């Protein structure tokens, strides 16, 4: 390379490094943007996550406590019992109300495991999230932004618990409309701005990542394999950092929200379940990075990678379908395994099919260029050579160190027969004699 060429390439290397570092940082940010967008802006994902939350025993206990508290806050159970009891037994209304509260807790916990209550929970969450999306989009004729909040209405669950506990039906019928309401979002004006940004951010970040990674690969002339490998490591680093931040965030959230030790397991479960989609996105980034690193390794100069390309060269050269067949099998295995979330979506499957095809063709061309005359069966020849070498080593260790000389004699005999100095009969006789000496040496 000339001095002028080196002067041109050196700034490019710095530019490539800067592009890769910036892209890795944006990949880290993109992981969180995809998570928030899929978790907050997708009603089906919201309902699925909320249903999974309700299936957790710790959360069931805390939610049951909240619902029973709502029941007793909005209904004077003791007063109603006093009205129902005869005058001489009205003093028992207080203890009876306390006993019913303990029973209500048990009834609530059991009720939250039933399909009927879980259906009410899912429907309430779906309605709340649809209300949230309507509000985010500016409200409408049915949903108003006037109060600045979105609530989850669990009044039907509170009434069901009261009825199953044995509280007078007239009392549960008098429960106010806002009994059992959970505020899930306030300050909607701010939320609207954030939500609009969330919807656009994944698209913007994806476009920026394509530009940064594409620019790095384009500028890394002569070192594009290293650039692809660096991209893979960048995805792995971004994914691992996202998982670390999730873990640290969980500790911070649990510490700030769990005021008592009894609430801590429920808060931890809520965080773990609520960020499960973040884990999916982060693991997908790590898996994609590993695939990129493996692809770069296959095209690399290490001895194992070079040996693999050498063995594949005759098949890649004579039967191109073999290369695509192997790549297709790997692609189908990845779809079945789905380590990357995109493998579960039609667009992602198509995108990775294109990437696999492009990578396979690039590797095929490199292999054919490196080993244009490599014959088939090279692996078998090397295996036989390795076996022969091991046999010689064993013979030498046992004291029979003439096997190498005898093999040389066979080669000389073959050369003499090709030159016509030995007839076929003479060659066979001499060969059998040498082989007999070789076998006896191996048996020593």
């Amino acid at each position: 390379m000339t001095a002028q060429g080196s002067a041109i390439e050196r700034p490019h290397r710095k530019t490539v490094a800067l592009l890769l570092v910036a892209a890795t940082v944006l990949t880290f940010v993109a992981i969180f943007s995809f998570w928030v967008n899929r978790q907050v802006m997708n009603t089906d994902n919201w309902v699925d996550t909320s249903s999974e939350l309700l299936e957790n025993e710790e959360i069931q206990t805390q939610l049951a406590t909240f619902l029973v508290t709502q029941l007793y806050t909005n209904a004077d159970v003791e007063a109603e019992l006093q009205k129902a009891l005869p005058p001489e037994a009205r003093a028992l209304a207080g203890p009876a109300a306390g006993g019913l509260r303990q029973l209500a807790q048990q009834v609530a916990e059991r009720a939250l495991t039933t399909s009927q209550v879980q259906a009410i929970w899912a429907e309430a969450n779906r309605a709340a999230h649809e209300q949230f999306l309507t509000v985010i989009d500016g409200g409408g004729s049915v949903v108003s932004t006037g109060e600045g909040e979105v609530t989850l209405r669990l009044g039907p669950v509170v009434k069901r618990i009261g009825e199953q506990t044995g509280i007078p039906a007239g009392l549960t019928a008098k429960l106010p409309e806002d009994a059992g309401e959970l505020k899930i979002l306030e300050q909607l004006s701010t939320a609207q701005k954030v939500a609009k940004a969330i919807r656009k951010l994944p698209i913007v970040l994806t476009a920026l990542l394509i530009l940064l990674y594409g620019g790095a690969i384009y500028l890394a002339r002569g070192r594009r394999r290293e650039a692809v490998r660096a991209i893979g490591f960048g995805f792995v680093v971004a994914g691992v950092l996202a998982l670390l931040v999730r873990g640290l965030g969980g500790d911070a959230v649990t510490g700030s929200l769990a005021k008592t030790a009894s609430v801590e397991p429920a808060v931890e479960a809520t965080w773990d379940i609520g960020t499960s989609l973040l884990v999916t996105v982060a693991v997908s980034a790590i898996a994609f990075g590993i695939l990129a690193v493996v692809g770069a390794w296959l095209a690399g100069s290490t001895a194992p990678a070079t040996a693999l390309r050498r063995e594949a060269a005759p098949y890649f050269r004579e039967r191109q379908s073999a290369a695509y067949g192997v790549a297709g099998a790997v692609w189908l295995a990845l779809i079945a395994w789905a380590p990357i979330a995109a493998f579960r979506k039609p667009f992602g499957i198509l995108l990775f099919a294109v990437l696999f095809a492009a990578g396979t063709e690039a590797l095929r061309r490199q292999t054919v260029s490196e080993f244009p005359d490599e014959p088939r069966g090279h692996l078998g020849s090397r295996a036989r050579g390795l076996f022969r070498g091991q046999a010689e080593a064993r013979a030498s260790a046992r004291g029979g160190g003439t096997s190498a000389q005898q093999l040389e004699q066979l080669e000389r005999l073959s050369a003499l027969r090709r030159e016509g100095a030995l007839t076929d009969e003479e060659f066979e006789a001499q060969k059998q004699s040498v082989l007999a000496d070789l076998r006896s040496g191996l048996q020593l």
Side-chain angles (χ1 to χ4, degrees), residues 391-406 438 441-442 444:
E392 291 178 1
R394 288 195 299 268
S396 177
R398 294 173 180 174
T402 61
S403 58
Q405 298 175 355
Q406 291 159 340
L438 178 61
L442 293 174
L444 291 176

Side-chain angles (χ1 to χ4, degrees), residues 353-423:
V354 173
L355 291 176
F356 260 69
T360 300
E361 180 60 21
L363 182 63
R364 189 191 70 80
R365 292 186 179 185
Q366 175 188 347
T367 302
V368 172
S369 175
E370 285 179 326
F371 308 102
D373 301 318
E374 190 70 20
R376 291 190 185 185
H378 185 75
L379 179 62
S381 299
R382 290 201 310 169
R384 288 191 296 272
L386 178 62
F387 176 78
R388 184 175 63 186
Q390 291 175 342
E392 291 178 1
R394 288 195 299 268
S396 177
R398 294 173 180 174
T402 61
S403 58
Q405 298 175 355
Q406 291 159 340
L407 292 174
E408 291 177 359
Q409 289 178 357
L410 286 175
E411 292 176 357
R412 286 197 296 271
L413 290 173
S414 298
L416 290 173
R417 184 180 65 170
R418 287 195 299 271
E419 294 171 359
L422 290 176
T423 64

Side-chain angles (χ1 to χ4, degrees), residues 185-434:
L185 187 65
E186 298 182 86
Q187 302 297 329
L188 284 179
S189 59
T190 302
Q192 286 174 332
K193 296 177 183 178
V194 173
K196 289 179 181 178
I198 288 174
R199 280 181 169 170
K200 296 177 181 178
L201 191 58
I203 299 175
V204 173
L205 289 177
T206 300
L208 286 175
L209 286 175
I210 292 174
L211 289 175
L212 290 174
Y213 284 133
I217 293 174
Y218 175 77
L219 292 175
R221 296 177 180 177
R223 301 179 62 87
R224 285 175 177 163
R225 183 186 63 80
E226 288 82 354
V228 172
R229 183 181 60 190
I231 290 172
F233 282 123
F235 270 89
V236 172
V237 169
V240 171
L241 286 178
L243 293 178
L244 290 175
V245 169
R246 173 186 179 260
L248 295 174
D251 294 339
V253 169
T254 302
S256 62
L257 296 182
K259 304 302 181 182
T260 62
S262 61
V263 180
E264 185 173 331
V267 176
E268 290 178 350
T270 301
W271 176 261
D272 291 341
I273 296 172
T275 58
S276 58
L277 281 176
L278 173 60
V279 175
T280 299
V281 178
V283 170
S284 295
I286 294 172
F288 179 79
I290 291 174
L291 287 177
V293 171
V294 170
W297 176 83
L298 286 174
S301 58
T302 61
T306 303
L308 285 173
R309 293 198 303 274
R310 179 184 293 110
E311 302 301 339
Y315 302 98
F316 282 8
R317 183 178 61 249
E318 300 169 12
R319 297 179 60 187
Q320 297 184 17
S321 59
Y324 290 100
V326 172
V330 174
W331 177 66
L332 291 174
L334 288 172
I335 291 176
W337 180 25
I340 302 175
F343 281 135
R344 301 186 184 98
K345 300 182 181 298
F347 177 76
I349 292 174
L350 179 61
L351 175 62
F352 277 95
V354 173
L355 291 176
F356 260 69
T360 300
E361 180 60 21
L363 182 63
R364 189 191 70 80
R365 292 186 179 185
Q366 175 188 347
T367 302
V368 172
S369 175
E370 285 179 326
F371 308 102
D373 301 318
E374 190 70 20
R376 291 190 185 185
H378 185 75
L379 179 62
S381 299
R382 290 201 310 169
R384 288 191 296 272
L386 178 62
F387 176 78
R388 184 175 63 186
Q390 291 175 342
E392 291 178 1
R394 288 195 299 268
S396 177
R398 294 173 180 174
T402 61
S403 58
Q405 298 175 355
Q406 291 159 340
L407 292 174
E408 291 177 359
Q409 289 178 357
L410 286 175
E411 292 176 357
R412 286 197 296 271
L413 290 173
S414 298
L416 290 173
R417 184 180 65 170
R418 287 195 299 271
E419 294 171 359
L422 290 176
T423 64
D424 291 341
E425 291 77 8
E426 291 172 336
F427 170 77
E428 286 297 329
Q430 292 292 331
K431 183 180 76 171
Q432 292 301 325
S433 175
V434 173

Side-chain angles (χ1 to χ4, degrees), residues 112-237:
L112 292 176
T113 64
T114 63
S115 59
Q116 295 88 346
V117 171
Q118 289 180 354
I120 294 173
W121 170 267
E123 185 61 30
N125 274 277
R126 183 173 294 278
H129 195 267
E130 290 174 350
Q131 178 192 21
F132 161 72
L133 292 181
T134 303
V135 169
I136 289 300
D137 292 332
S141 59
V142 177
V143 179
S144 172
T145 62
E147 297 180 0
E149 61 186 31
V150 174
T151 56
L152 180 63
R153 294 184 173 90
L154 300 176
V157 180
V158 176
K159 291 181 180 179
R160 179 180 289 270
I161 292 171
E163 293 168 356
Q164 293 182 355
T165 304
I167 293 175
L171 184 59
T172 56
K174 296 177 182 178
L175 289 173
E177 292 295 329
D178 60 352
E181 285 190 351
L182 277 173
K183 293 180 182 179
I184 60 175
L185 187 65
E186 298 182 86
Q187 302 297 329
L188 284 179
S189 59
T190 302
Q192 286 174 332
K193 296 177 183 178
V194 173
K196 289 179 181 178
I198 288 174
R199 280 181 169 170
K200 296 177 181 178
L201 191 58
I203 299 175
V204 173
L205 289 177
T206 300
L208 286 175
L209 286 175
I210 292 174
L211 289 175
L212 290 174
Y213 284 133
I217 293 174
Y218 175 77
L219 292 175
R221 296 177 180 177
R223 301 179 62 87
R224 285 175 177 163
R225 183 186 63 80
E226 288 82 354
V228 172
R229 183 181 60 190
I231 290 172
F233 282 123
F235 270 89
V236 172
V237 169

